[in-house]
Amino acid sequence: MNDWPEGWSDNDRGNRYGGGSAGAQPESARVMRQVRRGPAAPPSGAGVPPQPSYVNGQGHGDYTNARQTGYDSGYSSGQVYGGDSGGPGGPAGHDTRGPRPAPNWRRRIKWTAISVVTVLVVTTVGTYFWADSKLQRDVDLSKVIDRPEAGEGTNYLIVGSDSREGMSAEEKKELHTGSAEGKRTDSMMILHTGSNGDTLISLPRDSDVEIPSFVGSESGKTYKGTGRHVKLNAAYAEDGPELLVRTVEFNTGLRIDHYVEIGFAGFANIVDSVGGVEIDIPQDIKDTKSGADFKKGKQTLNGEEALAFVRTRYALANSDLDRTKNQQKFLAALANQVATPGTVLNPFKLYPTLSAGLDTLIVDKDMGLYDLASMFFAMKGVNSGDGKSMNMPISGSVGGNLVWDKAKVKTLVNELKNDEKVTVSGN
């Protein structure tokens, strides 16, 4: 039987494309009746290799014989390349890639830690600059003249003003603040921080003080002292924070390093932002002017209630002296609440608290966030028993004004200047 197509002969193959002769030319498309798969024919004269038979569906004969003869027909028998070495789909059915290496957990933990630290650093730095930009540094202590020499430790003058700035008529009614124009001081305290414990000293608003020579904060004009005596809160009403600092320094001999002031609305907002402040009220209090209506005992006050509590004086036996004690007690409890991990580590509490406080705080031009944080932690220490709280020592009164005990005040100031443990007691 002739294996070649009809009309072909072995001799004709010599002139066909793929025959191996030097003059071989491709067969034209018109006469190319069949295209065979496989490699080119062997060199001329080598003869025609035996052709495979198709028996029982086996193409190209025995696979083993092909390997022995070195002849590759080019026909795919269904094997996948690499199958002979155990690759996927091969006779062995094994993966030649080998086992996947175990995860490098040390490397993963390292990069996770680096990522977390980076996020924390960026967040902390961003929070710092955001908070620092919100501080209202409106008080210029460089305008204060004839100042005492600085001592050891740091002294803050903390003022609670009755400013109603930014409050609506409804808020004024709700907080029982009234609608008086201008600003006055409802509370004034000196906080001394040092290495021998922190001391919080209230200065009653009705304290009898002398107004010294001073430079007007707005006019820049020098006003000579005339020996005029007024209540301490009148100094603030007359020319603001700079004159108040000048008056406190003149009458005590203690240098004030930083000034911090907060108004009604800001105080109430801070209390609300931390979810209220728990405090133990020593007696039943009812005061229609401040809006206070409390029963004796431990309870949590919201912003409105807290403001009423620290402003109450007419319902107290010793009026302003008892009120200053309540103010100290509550402010220390507030600082303790603000400095807890539940507030500091919770962004849903921390940012509203910072925003509520920083939006209404007025500080001196040299005040930084570090100084502010030191002040709060010192007040927390006073509340936890690590420091001392007291009123300025009083010896009596004249014309309705409270007169300071000069001897005790001198001893107190010397101890604060030298950062010694305070031995003086107040009223």
Side-chain angles (χ1 to χ4, degrees), residues 114-130 351:
I114 291 175
S115 299
V116 171
V117 171
T118 301
V119 170
L120 289 176
V121 170
V122 171
T123 301
T124 302
V125 172
T127 299
Y128 176 87
F129 284 105
W130 167 78
Y351 286 98

Side-chain angles (χ1 to χ4, degrees), residues 62-100:
D62 183 68
Y63 172 71
T64 303
N65 291 336
R67 294 184 61 185
Q68 292 174 349
T69 60
Y71 173 70
D72 185 2
S73 67
Y75 177 80
S76 173
S77 62
Q79 299 293 336
V80 179
Y81 290 111
D84 189 41
S85 59
H94 298 298
D95 189 349
T96 59
R97 291 175 296 182
R100 175 179 292 182

Side-chain angles (χ1 to χ4, degrees), residues 239-250:
D239 198 50
E242 287 85 358
L243 178 56
L244 178 61
V245 171
R246 167 71 174 132
T247 302
V248 169
E249 290 186 342
F250 178 81

Side-chain angles (χ1 to χ4, degrees), residues 79-212:
Q79 299 293 336
V80 179
Y81 290 111
D84 189 41
S85 59
H94 298 298
D95 189 349
T96 59
R97 291 175 296 182
R100 175 179 292 182
N104 190 335
W105 288 109
R106 179 176 295 180
R107 182 182 179 88
R108 291 187 180 185
I109 292 173
K110 172 186 174 182
W111 283 107
T112 299
I114 291 175
S115 299
V116 171
V117 171
T118 301
V119 170
L120 289 176
V121 170
V122 171
T123 301
T124 302
V125 172
T127 299
Y128 176 87
F129 284 105
W130 167 78
D132 188 72
S133 67
K134 294 178 76 68
L135 280 178
Q136 301 180 55
R137 296 182 173 91
D138 297 338
V139 179
D140 188 357
L141 296 183
S142 67
K143 296 179 180 179
V144 180
I145 61 174
D146 301 329
R147 309 191 68 187
E149 291 185 5
E152 301 293 329
T154 304
N155 300 310
Y156 300 84
L157 180 59
I158 304 171
V159 174
S161 77
D162 64 357
S163 171
R164 299 156 177 85
E165 185 177 352
M167 296 176 64
S168 65
E170 183 179 351
E171 288 173 327
K172 292 177 183 178
K173 182 179 180 180
E174 181 181 340
L175 297 176
H176 301 273
T177 64
S179 300
E181 296 296 329
K183 293 197 304 182
R184 284 156 292 278
T185 55
D186 262 12
S187 61
M188 290 159 284
M189 303 177 189
I190 294 174
L191 174 65
H192 173 83
T193 63
S195 57
N196 284 294
D198 305 316
T199 305
L200 186 62
I201 309 162
S202 285
L203 309 176
R205 56 176 284 176
D206 294 337
S207 296
D208 185 82
V209 294
E210 179 182 341
I211 298 294

Side-chain angles (χ1 to χ4, degrees), residues 235-426:
Y236 181 92
E238 186 173 332
D239 198 50
E242 287 85 358
L243 178 56
L244 178 61
V245 171
R246 167 71 174 132
T247 302
V248 169
E249 290 186 342
F250 178 81
N251 285 269
T252 63
L254 184 69
R255 186 184 181 96
I256 300 299
D257 299 296
H258 293 294
Y259 177 92
V260 181
E261 176 186 326
I262 188 168
F264 282 162
F267 179 81
N269 289 339
I270 292 176
V271 174
D272 285 335
S273 67
V274 297
V277 175
E278 185 179 73
I279 191 169
D280 190 1
I281 299 179
Q283 66 183 71
D284 292 350
I285 299 176
K286 188 173 181 64
D287 185 356
T288 56
K289 290 192 175 182
S290 69
D293 188 4
F294 306 112
K295 296 297 182 181
K296 178 181 178 180
K298 186 175 293 186
Q299 52 203 285
T300 299
L301 305 185
N302 61 25
E304 178 185 348
E305 295 167 337
L307 186 59
F309 177 71
V310 299
R311 294 183 62 223
T312 295
R313 64 170 176 161
Y314 294 105
L316 305 176
N318 293 315
S319 187
D320 200 38
L321 290 178
D322 283 345
R323 177 170 72 166
T324 56
K325 293 177 182 178
N326 285 342
Q327 290 171 345
Q328 288 179 348
K329 186 175 183 179
F330 187 85
L331 288 177
L334 173 60
N336 184 70
Q337 179 70 21
V338 171
T340 59
T343 299
V344 175
L345 300 179
N346 184 351
F348 297 102
K349 275 191 175 183
L350 176 62
Y351 286 98
T353 301
L354 287 175
S355 182
L358 298 175
D359 280 341
T360 55
L361 281 180
I362 297 175
V363 300
D364 64 273
K365 293 186 180 298
D366 295 327
M367 185 79 158
L369 288 179
Y370 176 81
D371 301 306
L372 194 60
S374 297
M375 183 192 79
F376 271 97
F377 278 103
M379 293 183 71
K380 178 184 178 182
V382 170
N383 180 66
S384 61
D386 293 336
K388 181 174 183 176
S389 60
M390 57 182 288
N391 277 326
M392 186 65 82
I394 304 296
S395 62
S397 63
V398 55
N401 296 353
L402 298 173
V403 179
W404 294 349
D405 187 320
K406 293 184 179 180
K408 287 186 176 181
V409 170
K410 183 177 180 179
T411 301
L412 173 63
V413 169
N414 285 335
E415 290 175 341
L416 295 177
K417 279 186 172 182
N418 296 320
D419 197 22
E420 299 172 348
K421 189 175 181 61
V422 173
T423 61
V424 178
S425 60

